[in-house]
Amino acid sequence: MESKEFDIMDRVNYDIAWCPGCGNYQIRTVMMQALAELGLRPQEVVLVSGIGQAAKMPHYIRVNVFNGLHGRSLPPAAAIKASNPHLTVIAESGDGCMYGEGGNHLVHTILRNPDITAIVHDNMVYGLTKGQASPTSRRGTPSPLHPADRQGVTSEPLNPLALAISLNASFVARAFIGDQEQTKDILKKAIRHRGFALVDVFQPCVTYNKVNTFRWFKDNTYYLPDSYDPTDRVSAFQKAIERERLPLGVLYVSPDRPTFEEESGVYDTDRRPLFQREVDWKKLEALICSMKSAT
């Protein structure tokens, strides 16, 4: 399988809405390469997103697509996987959509552990609303939509990796799209992982964030050493809260957690997706009647 199988731009003639130089382009390229190298076919993959510049990603890759409400990519992604476990389901959006509007959904998705992957384009700003501070904006970051914050952002930034590890997320990683090979390797590990995988991808916004640039991310990150043990939860949390320089790589893996699909028991004896099964009308009628009697 070649990555061009996922390139819809070869088949449809329309412009991409991203600014020239935006890191979203590289993430799109790396995503298509990762899917191809994993041997997946376009019809086996579903990309789910919310609202924002990063959330336009599913429009530009030739796979199945669900583009929903702001911050609501994770619930439909989990539902798609629960109804058809044979699909590879990926939720992809920006730090504002996934950590802001979708923050509560992120927490409960981590707790349920569905077998899906969440890829967050983290540029520390809302690009679609022209520079509004996002949950991961660092203190002091200038924000043109917050004139009262003359000294820049005054709130503490959300630490998504520390949050995920504190909730015992199944897989937690961070990448920097300035290194495409490393990002692709992490995405492949996340997609192959059984259970919920969170990948925070540093991706500069070249138009509305003049602080956290490609150079800034390169100078303020480092790779975890080969000797690092991602199954050590305490060490993973210590790495996640480092502030001077930010670690890149797979920070934490909890491989033994059962997935939401396994916990449901729906596929214990029958691996067919729900749409391929016959409806048991008597059971459905009994369920509806029981709900009526309960009310």
Side-chain angles (χ1 to χ4, degrees), residues 84-122:
N84 188 348
H86 301 313
L87 293 171
T88 295
V89 183
I90 301 168
E92 189 164 0
S93 242
D95 49 291
C97 185
M98 197 74 81
Y99 299 148
E101 286 81 0
N104 192 40
H105 291 304
L106 176 66
V107 168
H108 290 281
T109 303
I110 291 173
L111 296 176
R112 294 189 182 100
N113 197 34
D115 187 16
I116 65 175
T117 302
I119 299 171
V120 184
H121 300 212
D122 189 353

Side-chain angles (χ1 to χ4, degrees), residues 78-86 259-278 283:
I80 292 168
K81 186 68 179 183
S83 60
N84 188 348
H86 301 313
T259 67
F260 175 76
E261 298 78 33
E262 292 169 339
E263 294 273 27
S264 71
V266 173
Y267 298 102
D268 286 349
T269 58
D270 188 346
R271 292 292 296 170
R272 290 179 302 167
L274 298 184
F275 75 91
Q276 292 181 351
R277 303 185 188 187
E278 295 293 331
K283 285 187 176 180

Side-chain angles (χ1 to χ4, degrees), residues 38-57:
L38 288 172
L40 295 167
R41 298 176 298 169
Q43 59 266 40
E44 296 173 328
V45 180
V46 184
L47 279 185
V48 185
S49 68
I51 298 296
Q53 292 292 5
K56 296 174 182 173
M57 180 68 76

Side-chain angles (χ1 to χ4, degrees), residues 27-86:
I27 297 179
R28 173 178 176 270
T29 298
V30 167
M31 172 68 80
M32 292 190 296
Q33 292 173 347
L35 295 174
E37 292 180 16
L38 288 172
L40 295 167
R41 298 176 298 169
Q43 59 266 40
E44 296 173 328
V45 180
V46 184
L47 279 185
V48 185
S49 68
I51 298 296
Q53 292 292 5
K56 296 174 182 173
M57 180 68 76
H59 304 173
Y60 307 138
I61 297 181
R62 181 171 169 254
V63 293
N64 301 293
V65 171
F66 183 92
N67 188 195
L69 300 175
H70 207 352
R72 271 65 177 176
S73 60
L74 290 174
I80 292 168
K81 186 68 179 183
S83 60
N84 188 348
H86 301 313

